Amino acid sequence: MRDAATHARRTFLTRTGALGAAAALTACGPRSTIDLGGDGSDRTLTAVIGYGNDGSWDPTQTASAFATAANNHIYEGLADTDPITRAPYPALAIRLPADAHATTWRFTLRPGATFHDGRPVTADDVVFVFDRILDPGTPTLARGFFASWLKAARKVDTRTVELVLRFPFPDGIARLTLAKIMPRHVFARPGAWDDAIRGLAVGSGPYRQTGHHPKSNTTFAAYDGYNGPRRAAFRKMNWLTIVDAAARVARISGAGAGAQLSDNIPYANIPRLEQGGLSVGGGAGMNNLFLMFNTRHRPFDDVRVRQALHYAVDKQKIVEVALKGHGRPASSFLNETNPAYRRARTVYDHDPDRARALLRAAGVDGLRIDILAVDVSWVVDCLPTIKSSWDAIGVATTLSPQETTAVFTKMDQRQDYQVVAAASNPNQFGLDADLIMHYNYGPENLWTGYARWSGDAVAKRLFRDMDAATREPDPDRKRTMIQDYIDVVAEQAVLYPLVHNELITAWDPRRLTGMRAQPYPGINVLTARWA
C-alpha cells in the first residue's frame, strides 16, 4: 500500500496530466460513447479548452484547469461563487450564514437535492467530504484552503450540518465552493478515489458527465433532477482539449468552425477573430509566468543570485513582444487589481548592471543555466526574452520547454533542476490574498517543497507570519500583515512572478449570449444561453 505522502504527490501532480488516465472507469463511471447529435434547443454546445483533460478529476486534489472548470458544472459546494465577482451564493445550502464572524456555521441542505445517480444529498455526504479534506493523514490540495481555520464538520440531522471554526474567518464562506460535495456511497468504496483521479465524476450540479476520453474530450448532459439556483441551459456539451494554439483557433474560426467557444486564445489571433465576427474578451487577474529556483542547487541557495536573475529579465519586452501588450511586469506577488495589492518593497525593474553586481557579490562567474519550462504556448513565447536577458549579463542560458506533465513528473521524482519557468493562476480557487499565498507558500506546501526551501530560517519565519495573518480578526490589520509578508516573498524570490497577463476567451455571439471572459483558465457557462 502506498504511503499517504506518495499518494498525495501522485494525486496532486495529475492536475497537469502527469500520470495520465488510460484505464477504463468502473461501471458507475461515465459512458464511453460520445453523443454530439441534436438541433435547435437540443443541439450540443462545443467548447475548446486549451489545457489537458487528463489531470486529476478529484475535486479535493485537482488544480487542473480543465477538470476544475468541469467540476464547477458537475458538483456543488454548500456555497458557490460567481465565476467573475467571486461573490458567494447558496448552492447546496439554502442560505449563507447570517453571521460570517460566528465560529459555528449551520447549513440546511436544499430540499430535493439529488446526486446524478438519483440518490439524495445528505448531511453524511457533507461530513464525508470535509472529513477527507481535514484528515492530516490524507494530504489534499483542499486541506491547505481549510485546515488552518476549520476545525470540524458535524451532522445535526439528515439535512443539517454545522461547520466548527477555530476562530472567526469570514473569508471562509467564499472558500466553501472549494469543498465540492461528493456522494459517500460512491467515493467511500475501495479504489474510488483513484477512479476520481482518472475521471469518475458524480455530483449534484446542473450537468452530469456522460463521457470522458483523456487527451481528447469530455461530454456532459443537463441533469434533469437538478433543482438548484443555476440550471443547465444546454442539453448537451462537448469540451475538446486542444493544447496546440493553431488547432484551437482553427476550431473556433472560419467557415469550418466546429465550436462556439474557446479559452486560451493567443494574443496575435485577437484581431482576426474579431474581424470574423467573434466576441473576444480578456480577463486580467493573477495569471502569471513565474520562475522557481531549486534552492538546494548552488548557487540558487544564495538570495543575491535569485535577485540578480530577476533584475536581469526585460519584463517590459516580454509584455510588448510575447504578450502583445496584454500584461504587466510584476510589482508584487499579487496582481495590481487584487484588493490586497500593495507595491512590494522589492520590485525587479530591468536593471542589468545591478544584476551583474549581485552576481559578483555572490562570487558567481561563468554561470550556465538550463531553464526547465512548461510548453504552454504563451509561456514558450516568453522564453526567448528570458534567455537573451540572461545571456546579456554573462549567464549562458539554454531553454528546455517540455510537456507540462514531464516537468512536474521530474519535480515529483525529486530530480535535480536549476530553474523552472511555468504558469500559475490561484484565482481559479479564489481572490483572497490569504488563499493565494497559502497556495504557493507553506511548510507543507507542494510548491515550497519543489523549491526545497521549507527548512530555510527565513521560510520558517515567513510561515509563522502567514499563520498570524490568517488569524488576525481586524481586516485592515490583516491586509497590512499580508502585504508585509509578501515583501519577504518578493525579497527572497524563490517562487516569484515575472509578469501578470490577461487570459483571452472567444465565443460566437450569434450563437451564445451571457458569456463572460474569466481571468483564470477554463470556462464557466452557468450564466450563458443559446442566442
Side-chain angles (χ1 to χ4, degrees), residues 47-370:
V48 182
I49 312 297
Y51 305 89
N53 72 339
D54 57 346
S56 172
W57 283 64
D58 174 359
T60 71
Q61 292 281 13
T62 192
S64 159
F66 192 112
T68 298
N71 285 342
N72 285 334
H73 296 74
I74 295 170
Y75 293 98
E76 299 177 277
L78 291 171
D80 283 325
T81 59
D82 181 86
I84 307 301
T85 68
R86 310 316 286 265
Y89 62 88
L92 269 174
I94 62 174
R95 64 178 59 89
L96 301 179
D99 182 4
H101 294 272
T103 54
T104 299
W105 293 338
R106 177 171 287 205
F107 298 92
T108 300
L109 300 181
R110 187 175 70 236
T114 60
F115 291 112
H116 296 158
D117 60 4
R119 297 273 291 270
V121 182
T122 71
D124 289 327
D125 301 303
V126 177
V127 172
F128 168 71
V129 169
F130 278 102
D131 280 353
R132 172 175 169 80
I133 290 173
L134 296 175
D135 180 8
T138 308
T140 61
L141 177 62
R143 188 172 189 274
F145 302 141
F146 289 94
S148 64
W149 58 273
L150 182 61
K151 184 176 181 180
R154 61 192 182 197
K155 174 181 177 181
V156 177
D157 58 39
T158 303
R159 289 185 46 240
T160 308
V161 292
E162 287 184 341
L163 299 184
V164 182
L165 282 62
R166 300 182 185 277
F167 47 84
F169 193 67
D171 288 342
I173 294 176
R175 294 194 192 184
L176 295 177
T177 189
L178 303 176
K180 300 301 187 187
I181 305 307
M182 308 169 72
R184 183 180 183 278
H185 64 273
V186 172
F187 291 98
R189 59 178 179 76
W193 291 114
D194 285 335
D195 290 339
I197 292 168
R198 293 191 292 264
L200 174 63
V202 182
S204 63
Y207 292 93
R208 58 185 178 86
Q209 188 193 68
T210 56
H212 179 56
H213 307 268
K215 300 185 182 299
S216 173
N217 70 308
T218 303
T219 59
F220 311 82
Y223 175 47
D224 292 334
Y226 177 74
N227 66 349
R230 298 203 171 180
R231 295 177 180 271
F234 308 103
R235 294 303 302 167
K236 303 169 189 174
M237 297 195 298
N238 181 29
W239 290 16
L240 310 175
T241 170
I242 303 179
V243 178
D244 178 73
R248 191 164 59 251
V249 171
R251 186 58 67 100
I252 195 177
S253 61
Q260 302 90 28
L261 168 66
S262 177
D263 77 339
N264 200 16
I265 295 296
Y267 305 116
N269 293 107
I270 293 174
R272 179 165 69 88
L273 294 179
E274 289 180 331
Q275 291 167 7
L278 297 184
S279 293
V280 182
M286 188 66 196
N287 208 67
N288 68 90
L289 165 64
F290 67 85
L291 297 178
M292 179 172 63
F293 295 93
N294 179 357
T295 60
R296 295 277 179 86
H297 188 124
R298 293 182 178 179
F300 308 111
D301 57 334
D302 191 321
V303 65
R304 294 170 294 186
V305 174
R306 302 192 298 265
Q307 290 180 337
L309 294 170
H310 270 275
Y311 278 119
V313 176
D314 189 344
K315 302 172 190 66
Q316 190 59 44
K317 184 177 179 181
I318 288 178
V319 170
E320 293 171 359
V321 175
L323 306 183
K324 310 300 182 187
H326 293 274
R328 297 180 67 89
S331 56
S332 169
F333 198 95
L334 301 176
N335 60 294
E336 294 182 15
T337 59
N338 187 283
Y341 167 84
R342 183 183 74 192
R343 184 176 171 88
R345 188 170 58 232
T346 304
V347 176
Y348 296 100
D349 296 321
H350 184 216
D351 193 339
D353 290 337
R354 188 169 187 177
R356 294 186 190 97
L358 284 165
L359 290 177
R360 286 195 300 270
V364 173
D365 185 43
L367 180 60
R368 307 181 69 86
I369 294 179
D370 182 46

Side-chain angles (χ1 to χ4, degrees), residues 375-400:
D375 64 350
V376 175
S377 56
W378 70 267
V379 172
V380 173
D381 291 342
C382 297
L383 294 178
T385 300
I386 301 176
K387 171 178 167 52
S388 63
S389 297
W390 287 358
D391 286 344
I393 64 167
V395 175
T397 306
T398 57
L399 304 175
S400 296

